[in-house]
Amino acid sequence: MDLKKTFQECFGHEGVLYFSPGRINLIGEHTDYNGGFVFPGAVDKGITAAVAANGLDRCRIFATDITDENSHVEFGLEESDKPAEHWACYIFGVCREMIKRGVGVKGFDAVFSGNVPLGAGMSSSAALESTFAFATNDIFNGGIDKFELARVGQDTEHNYCGVNCGIMDQFASVFGRKGCLMRLDCRSMEFEYFPFNPQGYKLVLLNTCVRHTLGGEYNERRASCENVVAHVAAKHEGISTLRDVTYDMMEEIRSEVSDTDFRRARYILDEKERVMAVCGALERNDYETVGRKMYETHWGLSHDFGVSCEELDFLAELAGECGVTGSRVMGGGFGGCTINLVRDELCDSFIRNAEEKFCTRFGHKPEVYEVVIGDGSRRL
Ligand code: GLA
C-alpha cells in the first residue's frame, strides 16, 4: 500500500513516513521486569505510518489494515479524550506520555499499516508505540532520547493499555540494528550489539495462530515475582528485584509464599543463569548449547512459569523429535510463536513435518517466518 498517497487522499496534505519494527528474543523471557538480561533483535517487519501535523487540536488516524468502520478514529489530546478503540489507545497513550515529558504534541493526521503478525509474540504493539513516539518526537521537536522513547512506549502499556510489561519490546524496536541481537541489562539499561550470523543455522518462527493478548495473566506473573521479592526483602537488605535473589534466599521464604509464586520466581532465577550460559556459548559459536538452553527455557515457561499452551508445547516437543537444535515459546506467551534454531539442512523437512503434524492435530497449519534481523525506529 502506498501510504503517502492514501494520506494525501484522506487529508489533502503530505505526510512523512516513519517505521518501527517488531522483535524476536533469543533468550531471557520475563526477565526484563525482574531486572535481568534479555537478548532481543528487531525484525524486518513492523509498522509504517505517514504522519503530519494538522494545525488542529485533534488527531485523526486511519488504520488501513482494519476493514470495518473502526478504522478511522479521531481524538483530542487531553487525558479525558481517551478513545474507545483499543488500537487507538496505543497512539493516544504515546501522545499523553510525550506531553507528560514536556513535548508540545499538537494535532496530527496519520495513516498506518503493519506487517507484524498480531498476537504472535512479536510485539506489534511496541512497533506501533515506537512508530508514534519517534514520529511525534520528530514532528514536534521533542528532543527526547532513544531510551526515553522506549519508556514512552512502556508507560503507554502500563497507563493506557493495562499491561505491566518490561522494557524489552520497546527497547528492541527503537534500538534494533540490522544483523545484530542486543544484550540488554534491564537493571542498568547498559546494552551491547552482538552480530548474529550463526553459520549453518537459521532462526525460524512457527506461529500457532493462537492469538495471545497480554493483560491479566501476564500481570499476575509479574505480581508473583514481586511478591517473592517482597518476602526476601523483608529478610535481606538491598533486594529490589529477582535479579538480586539467590536460590538460598528462595529456600528461606519457601513456606511463606504459594507454590505457584515460588515456581514462577524459581523459573526467573533459572532463566538468569541460562542467559549467562548463552552469552558464553555465543562467544564460542557453540549453538548446540544455545539450543539446549532454549529448550530448557521452553519447559520452564511451560511447567513453572505457566505461560505456554497446548499448541506451543506440541511444537516444541515436535522440534525436539525432529532434531531441531533449539525451540521455545517466544515473548509473553499464552499463544503466538515458537522460535526455533534449526540447522540449515534440517530446515525444509522440519517445517514440512511441523505443518503436517500440527494440521492433523489442530486443524490448521502454523504460519512460518524466517527471521531477518533489521534496523530499529526511523524516518523513511
Ligand atoms: C512481553 C512484554 C515484555 C517481556 C516479554 C516476556 O513481550 O512486553 O516486556 O516481559 O513479554 O519476556
Side-chain angles (χ1 to χ4, degrees):
M1 157 150 323
D2 184 341
L3 286 178
K4 286 191 93 161
K5 186 157 164 258
T6 310
F7 186 98
Q8 178 76 41
E9 284 163 8
C10 267
F11 302 114
H13 57 121
E14 204 170 310
V16 174
L17 290 179
Y18 297 89
F19 172 85
S20 291
R23 61 109 189 86
I24 54 140
N25 184 28
L26 185 66
I27 199 148
E29 219 65 272
H30 290 271
T31 45
D32 57 352
Y33 54 82
N34 287 300
F37 287 89
V38 291
F39 233 112
V43 292
D44 62 338
K45 295 179 172 51
I47 301 274
T48 308
V51 192
N54 60 17
L56 310 168
D57 57 5
R58 297 183 71 72
C59 297
R60 301 181 296 194
I61 322 274
F62 173 26
T64 65
D65 300 328
I66 294 177
T67 48
D68 57 28
E69 70 281 2
N70 298 322
S71 60
H72 286 79
V73 168
E74 199 177 315
F75 55 77
L77 288 162
E78 300 298 326
E79 195 63 34
S80 54
D81 291 323
K82 188 174 173 193
E85 289 74 9
H86 184 65
W87 66 262
C89 292
Y90 293 103
I91 302 171
F92 173 77
V94 165
C95 295
R96 290 298 310 160
E97 290 298 334
M98 295 296 281
I99 291 168
K100 287 180 202 168
R101 287 160 172 82
V103 179
V105 176
K106 298 280 183 313
F108 59 82
D109 295 330
V111 174
F112 76 93
S113 76
N115 59 357
V116 200
L118 299 179
M122 296 174 69
S123 299
S124 49
S125 61
L128 182 58
E129 290 147 9
S130 303
T131 300
F132 280 90
F134 195 95
T136 50
N137 195 36
D138 193 42
I139 292 170
F140 300 105
N141 300 316
I144 302 273
D145 72 22
K146 284 166 90 178
F147 279 115
E148 204 54 30
L149 287 183
R151 286 198 193 94
V152 162
Q154 185 191 21
D155 287 348
T156 296
E157 296 276 355
H158 289 193
N159 300 328
Y160 300 90
C161 308
V163 182
N164 294 330
C165 65
I167 193 67
M168 169 170 72
D169 303 354
Q170 292 76 13
F171 167 85
S173 183
V174 171
F175 281 89
R177 179 182 288 177
K178 202 173 171 176
C180 290
L181 297 181
M182 295 163 278
R183 185 183 62 194
L184 171 68
D185 178 339
C186 299
R187 181 166 64 185
S188 67
M189 292 304 284
E190 277 167 15
F191 72 102
E192 217 179 310
Y193 287 105
F194 261 72
F196 186 72
N197 182 20
Q199 293 296 323
Y201 296 86
K202 283 190 177 52
L203 279 180
V204 178
L205 304 182
L206 294 184
N207 187 358
T208 58
C209 300
V210 175
R211 279 280 283 272
H212 88 155
T213 35
L214 296 184
E217 292 186 301
Y218 178 95
N219 296 345
E220 269 173 34
R221 303 302 181 281
R222 181 169 184 158
S224 291
C225 296
E226 287 168 356
N227 184 38
V228 169
V229 169
H231 281 265
V232 175
K235 293 191 164 50
H236 296 270
E237 263 177 42
I239 304 284
S240 56
T241 62
L242 285 179
R243 167 80 171 266
D244 315 311
V245 172
T246 63
Y247 289 103
D248 286 345
M249 294 175 183
M250 289 274 297
E251 284 308 323
E252 290 168 20
I253 54 95
R254 187 172 197 143
S255 61
E256 300 171 19
V257 298
S258 70
D259 189 48
T260 305
D261 284 2
F262 184 84
R263 290 164 72 109
R264 288 174 179 170
R266 193 184 53 196
Y267 157 83
I268 298 293
L269 265 61
D270 295 345
E271 184 73 347
K272 250 185 344 190
E273 300 207 331
R274 281 190 287 267
V275 178
M276 288 306 145
V278 163
C279 292
L282 282 177
E283 273 154 17
R284 305 188 301 274
N285 288 325
D286 172 5
Y287 293 104
E288 295 304 312
T289 298
V290 174
R292 213 168 41 248
K293 296 291 158 193
M294 290 169 75
Y295 280 113
E296 287 174 21
T297 295
H298 180 82
W299 296 112
L301 285 169
S302 179
H303 298 145
D304 288 335
F305 210 65
V307 296
S308 187
C309 64
E310 210 188 327
E311 290 83 348
L312 289 163
D313 285 352
F314 181 89
L315 285 178
E317 205 162 303
L318 184 70
E321 283 162 21
C322 292
V324 167
T325 307
S327 180
R328 65 177 196 80
V329 43
M330 187 183 75
F334 310 105
C337 292
T338 57
I339 179 167
N340 301 275
L341 181 65
V342 196
R343 284 198 312 282
D344 285 341
E345 66 274 15
L346 207 72
C347 232
D348 290 346
S349 68
F350 167 57
I351 290 170
R352 223 179 314 116
N353 235 310
E355 285 179 336
E356 268 173 39
K357 298 217 164 99
F358 191 89
C359 192
T360 309
R361 177 77 175 76
F362 298 106
H364 64 91
K365 288 182 179 176
E367 284 178 9
V368 182
Y369 324 113
E370 193 179 317
V371 173
V372 178
I373 299 176
D375 283 322
S377 299
R378 58 198 183 269
R379 183 175 163 158
L380 297 180

